């Protein structure tokens, strides 16, 4: 009998209705569609404007969608992990709020904070609970409401980020298909390039921190760009090597959607065809933990049983990870 693996058995997503286009941004900051498109590949992003809604509401829509699509009773969910850096509050964690809103009553739930690598971290974590036989039904969601921490007067960040959520249901698979392996990592010294200065225990919120705009994303883009390309390339190579695979054995690469130039460079350095790389950055921008599951949601109909995928991410922390999986339906 082959080893029991955790496999993805459903995917769902949620993006807000409000569209913020490059043309809209031209009216807010000193930028233009040509610069944004050529430097990032982004044309528009979604912004959550629904009265009283926050990150947990987007995630709850995903959880409800997953239950409905898979015909699962909410009481059967054992664990829900929400990858995010924009939970509703600093505490309590938002994952339990998501369970409450989605009618999930028997689950152990928690947030996982690994910025743009959050979904890959959470997926690999969730998979362990299934592989060990501890749990049978695990929901993993990647979600961020980046608009809640973006300075819409800062043209270097406001053009990049957007809001959105997507996630998967994980269940045991005895056919040998599912999450096979992952190469994960981090380097805390990279925190200087991408962070939010205040609001945590290091610098609690004060009139000064608000005045100094320290509750917004700070990013030094160039070093992050370079580290993202090499990080995703090297972890993907290591993952393939140690599983005796080459890029020819891979059907799809699903990269974090931070910048189309990062994605193009990664594909070219791995000598992998762009038409097998999932890309939707043009319509959602960078939704941080949301990008990879939003790609799976958008491309779900193209995926076939036995397709081999590499999910790869790099982000704030620094954090990174590449994960190898076989698709189990379609
Ligand atoms: O998801 C988490 C990980 N994050 C990433 O992977 C992001 C990685 N970094 C990037 O994607 C890119 O570095 C950015 C898209 C953030 C910036 O692109 P860049 O090509 O690195 O531009 P830059 O910051 O070096 O700026 C080039 C020029 C500057 O002008 P000068 O100094 O050359 O006169 C900027 O002031 O472009 C200017 N600029 C803009 N111009 C028009 C910066 N932002 C804008 C803008 N519109 N929105």
């Amino acid at each position: 009998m082959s080893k029991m693996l955790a496999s993805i058995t459903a995917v769902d997503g949620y993006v807000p209705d409000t569209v913020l286009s490059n043309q809209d941004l031209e009216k807010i900051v000193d930028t233009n569609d040509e610069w944004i498109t050529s430097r990032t590949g982004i044309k528009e992003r979604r912004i959550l404007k629904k009265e009283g809604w926050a990150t947990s509401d987007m995630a709850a829509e995903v959880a409800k969608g997953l239950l409905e699509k898979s015909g699962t009773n909410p009481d059967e969910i054992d664990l829900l992990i929400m990858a995010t850096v924009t939970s509703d509050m600093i505490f309590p964690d938002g994952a339990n709020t998501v369970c409450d809103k989605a009618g999930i009553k028997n689950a152990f739930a928690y947030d996982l904070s690994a910025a743009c690598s959050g979904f890959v971290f959470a997926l690999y974590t969730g998979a362990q609970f299934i592989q060990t036989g501890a749990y049978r039904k695990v929901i993993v969601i990647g979600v961020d409401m980046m608009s809640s921490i973006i300075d819409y007067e800062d043209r270097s960040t406001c053009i990049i980020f957007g809001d959105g959520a997507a996630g998967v249901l994980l269940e045991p698979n005895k056919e040998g298909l599912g999450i096979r392996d992952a190469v994960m990592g981090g380097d805390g010294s990279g925190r200087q390039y991408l962070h939010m200065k205040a609001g945590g225990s290091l610098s609690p919120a004060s009139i000064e921190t608000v005045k100094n705009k320290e509750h917004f994303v700070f990013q030094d883009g160039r070093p992050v760009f370079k580290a993202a390309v090499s990080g995703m390339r090297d972890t993907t190579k290591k993952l393939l090597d140690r599983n005796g695979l080459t890029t020819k054995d891979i059907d799809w690469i699903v990269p974090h959607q931070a910048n189309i130039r990062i994605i193009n460079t990664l594909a070219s350095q791995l000598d992998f065809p762009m038409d097998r790389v999932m890309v939707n950055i043009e319509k959602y921008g960078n939704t941080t933990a949301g990008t990879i599951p939003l790609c799976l949601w958008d491309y779900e109909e193209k995926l076939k049983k036995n397709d081999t995928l590499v999910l790869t991410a790099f982000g704030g922390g620094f954090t990174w990870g590449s994960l190898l999986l076989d698709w189990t339906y379609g």
Side-chain angles (χ1 to χ4, degrees), residues 30-32 35-36 39-40 116 155-156 159-161 194 219 221-222 224-225 228 256 258-259 261-262 286 314-316:
D30 179 16
T31 191
N32 57 77
W35 193 95
I36 302 173
R39 303 308 289 168
T40 71
C116 302
R155 69 176 183 172
S156 71
I159 55 127
I160 297 170
F161 294 98
L194 183 49
Q219 176 168 258
R222 283 189 185 183
V224 182
F225 188 108
H256 169 52
N259 187 318
R261 290 183 293 132
I262 294 178
N286 182 346
F314 186 94

Side-chain angles (χ1 to χ4, degrees), residues 115-117 156-157 160-161 187 189-195 217-233 256-259 261-263 265 286 313-320:
C116 302
S117 310
S156 71
T157 51
I160 297 170
F161 294 98
D187 174 6
S189 69
R191 67 189 182 282
Q192 62 181 303
Y193 302 114
L194 183 49
H195 57 253
V217 170
F218 165 84
Q219 176 168 258
D220 185 356
R222 283 189 185 183
V224 182
F225 188 108
K226 274 194 195 158
V229 172
S230 57
M232 293 198 283
R233 179 198 62 212
H256 169 52
Q257 311 280 302
N259 187 318
R261 290 183 293 132
I262 294 178
I263 297 171
T265 311
N286 182 346
F314 186 94
F318 289 146
T319 53
W320 59 78

Side-chain angles (χ1 to χ4, degrees), residues 106-129:
N106 297 325
F108 155 48
Y110 58 91
D111 288 5
L112 189 154
S113 168
C116 302
S117 310
F119 181 76
V120 176
F121 274 43
L123 190 62
Y124 195 45
T125 306
Q128 307 310 309
F129 286 93

